[in-house]
Amino acid sequence: MTRTIRTALYGLLALFAAVFVVSTFFLRAEYNYGVYGDTAFLAGQKLGVYMPVLAVLLASGWALYRLCRKLYRFRPQLVIPAVLAASFAVQTAIVFLFPLQPTADSKTVLSLAQDMLYDGDYSSFQLGGYLYMFPFNFSIALYLNTLLAIFPDNYLVLKLFNMLFTLVTTLMVYLIHRELSGRKDSRDYGVLALAAFYPPSLFMVNYIYNDVLATALLASSVYFLLRFVRGGGWKHLLVSAALLALGNYFRSIGAIVLIAAILYVWLSLGRLGARRGWAAVAVLAGLFFVPGLAQNGLLQATGIVDESPSANSAPVYLWLNMGLNTETLGFWDERESYSIYQRQAGYDKEKSIELFKAEIGRKWTEATAAELAETYYKKLVWTWTEGTYQLERYGIGNDGTTGRHPLAADYSYATFATERMKSDSPATTGLLWATYGMNALLFAFAFVRLIGSLRKDRLDDVLPALVVLGFIGFYALWEIKSRYVFPVYPLLLVLAYAGFGDAYRRLFGRREGTA
């Protein structure tokens, strides 16, 4: 039975990967705030550009893979620090070349953190305040508050921690790949280099928010769970459960990883034993809610709030309603959904739930089956093939003087890079095309890996497959931003690199005397 389930999971994710890759030959998913505004842009593919981009990326990938194989003779104690140091240097250069200031939610939570630290001001929890509506963002405000209390109040400090967490994620990609390969002495440094210089991860250090932090915590949780199931001790499980709980605390999509983790443990009961397996499930589930419960208890005990902060917060139906907008493909709906909660319901959660249910029901009944199918297809294609995780806005930014939709005062100061990397410049366009093409190839080689896992019935690939499938299913319903699926990129890199290695060995293995 468990083999049948694994086969179905591998087959389903391989199907999605195939759909995404094939769709890129017909549709170009794009996000460029300076050119199109804050919208999900989907248009016909420009094959005259796309095909050469893929060719160059494939040739470069093959050459770099061969180069990294030559590093096998060097010890990990030498190579890993060197690669991480090089990645850190590139991130540092990006931070100084693109001195991006906080924007959107990033700007809001940083302002809240400063108000709490310097003025003891928690009024945002009061009716109509930001944390009244979105109390889940108190976690990132508290994190920023803590950093500001310990270190100088400077954007560079906050970005430095982003850089450190990105390095943690890079190391986790390497370690997860090593676990899935089944070789503890693996020196496959190519996957380390891929993660270390993956453009979205390099540029997203500029975005002072919860994405980078949560990604590091969730990826680390996946690694330690793999260690536990593959013969590790209870300490690995406890670390995994704690990291998962913290990851969910900072980014409320940890439930997807929790469900994937529980299913993975269940599918591994034959290896773990029933008692050990179900005890592991109890630990994962038991620790999951501890940070949130502790926070809410502390807020009420100190008199900052009188009841649970989520008592009248924006309901999940707000984002589900936004996600069903056929005109925007589930992207930002220009405050239409916010208006229902704020104005029509007067910040009353229960009243807004009924209004949202009615609105969602209306959209379902008024749209035809064909319209809904087209919306969900385009929504999935844009979310998963845009590929840059919106780095143009959150990693590069602009100086407010270019494009049809400039951001105001995006940079602390101007550099030659900010002058050259305008939203509509050839340099930015080239970077976005390259990252877009990389994403398509990642899904293509993930498909290769999944087909191999299906045929060989690999046991442990099921955990990253479950996590990715969970994100696909969740964001098929939720409001979309490609940035929202950023926490998946470490697992996508692992699957894709493994698939590239499988393809390489099949084509060149005998010639080079490798298996």
Side-chain angles (χ1 to χ4, degrees), residues 108-118 140-146 148:
T108 302
V109 295
L110 180 56
S111 176
L112 292 174
Q114 292 169 329
D115 290 343
M116 294 173 193
L117 177 63
Y118 301 123
I140 188 63
L142 182 62
Y143 163 76
L144 296 175
N145 178 302
T146 303
L148 295 175

Side-chain angles (χ1 to χ4, degrees), residues 74-321:
F74 297 106
R75 293 180 300 152
Q77 293 86 341
L78 294 175
V79 176
I80 293 176
V83 173
L84 294 181
S87 178
F88 184 82
V90 174
Q91 293 172 47
T92 302
I94 288 173
V95 167
F96 281 100
L97 290 173
F98 302 96
L100 193 61
Q101 297 190 75
T103 183
D105 285 325
S106 171
K107 184 176 182 178
T108 302
V109 295
L110 180 56
S111 176
L112 292 174
Q114 292 169 329
D115 290 343
M116 294 173 193
L117 177 63
Y118 301 123
D119 302 324
D121 182 3
Y122 291 83
S123 61
S124 184
F125 278 107
Q126 296 176 10
L127 179 65
Y130 182 83
L131 293 178
Y132 183 90
M133 296 185 288
F134 314 117
F136 51 81
N137 268 344
F138 177 67
S139 58
I140 188 63
L142 182 62
Y143 163 76
L144 296 175
N145 178 302
T146 303
L147 293 184
L148 295 175
I150 299 173
F151 303 100
D153 188 345
N154 191 292
Y155 296 151
L156 291 177
V157 170
L158 306 179
K159 292 180 181 182
L160 173 62
F161 277 86
N162 269 357
M163 294 158 67
L164 295 175
F165 282 115
T166 296
L167 295 182
V168 170
T169 302
T170 298
L171 181 60
M172 288 303 117
V173 169
Y174 174 77
L175 294 176
I176 291 171
H177 178 268
R178 190 178 68 178
E179 286 298 315
L180 295 183
S181 71
R183 301 189 303 273
K184 294 293 185 182
D185 59 345
S186 173
R187 296 186 177 185
D188 209 340
Y189 302 125
V191 69
L192 180 70
L194 174 63
F197 302 104
Y198 184 53
S201 67
L202 295 175
F203 279 92
M204 285 298 283
V205 299
N206 244 343
Y207 190 48
I208 302 171
Y209 201 48
N210 56 17
D211 302 80
V212 173
L213 170 59
T215 299
L217 293 170
L218 294 175
S220 301
S221 174
V222 168
Y223 166 67
F224 282 102
L225 182 60
L226 284 168
R227 285 291 308 274
F228 170 74
V229 172
R230 289 177 53 79
W234 287 102
K235 63 181 180 182
H236 295 107
L237 177 70
L238 290 172
V239 172
S240 176
L243 290 168
L244 177 56
L246 285 173
N248 180 71
Y249 177 64
F250 288 110
R251 182 80 185 276
S252 303
I253 40 82
I256 299 173
V257 183
L258 174 65
I259 293 170
I262 290 174
L263 289 174
Y264 172 58
V265 170
W266 176 64
L267 292 170
S268 304
L269 286 179
R271 189 191 316 186
L272 291 170
R275 180 178 298 178
R276 184 178 174 90
W278 291 118
V281 169
V283 171
L284 288 167
L287 290 181
F288 186 75
F289 298 102
V290 169
L293 292 173
Q295 170 198 283
N296 293 347
L298 183 61
L299 288 171
Q300 293 181 65
T302 54
I304 294 174
V305 297
D306 297 325
E307 56 184 347
S308 171
S310 61
N312 273 301
S313 62
V316 296
Y317 291 96
L318 183 152
W319 291 277
L320 292 174
N321 182 61

Side-chain angles (χ1 to χ4, degrees), residues 24-28 41-47 433:
T24 64
F25 290 95
F26 303 95
L27 296 170
R28 168 76 196 278
F41 187 77
L42 195 63
Q45 184 58 274
K46 299 176 182 177
L47 291 177
W433 266 110

Side-chain angles (χ1 to χ4, degrees), residues 377-445:
Y377 167 70
K378 289 183 175 180
K379 182 179 181 181
L380 285 170
V381 167
W382 186 87
T383 303
W384 293 96
T385 68
E386 190 273 335
T388 74
Y389 303 97
Q390 300 172 264
L391 71 81
E392 178 269 341
R393 180 178 186 184
Y394 300 109
I396 298 175
N398 66 62
D399 60 5
T401 64
T402 183
R404 292 195 293 271
H405 301 275
L407 298 173
D410 223 13
Y411 296 127
S412 299
Y413 53 87
T415 70
F416 78 91
T418 62
E419 293 299 318
R420 290 175 179 267
M421 296 286 283
K422 308 290 188 181
S423 297
D424 53 357
S425 69
T428 298
T429 300
L431 175 62
L432 297 183
W433 266 110
T435 309
Y436 172 80
M438 285 185 68
N439 184 73
L441 291 176
L442 290 178
F443 274 110
F445 286 111

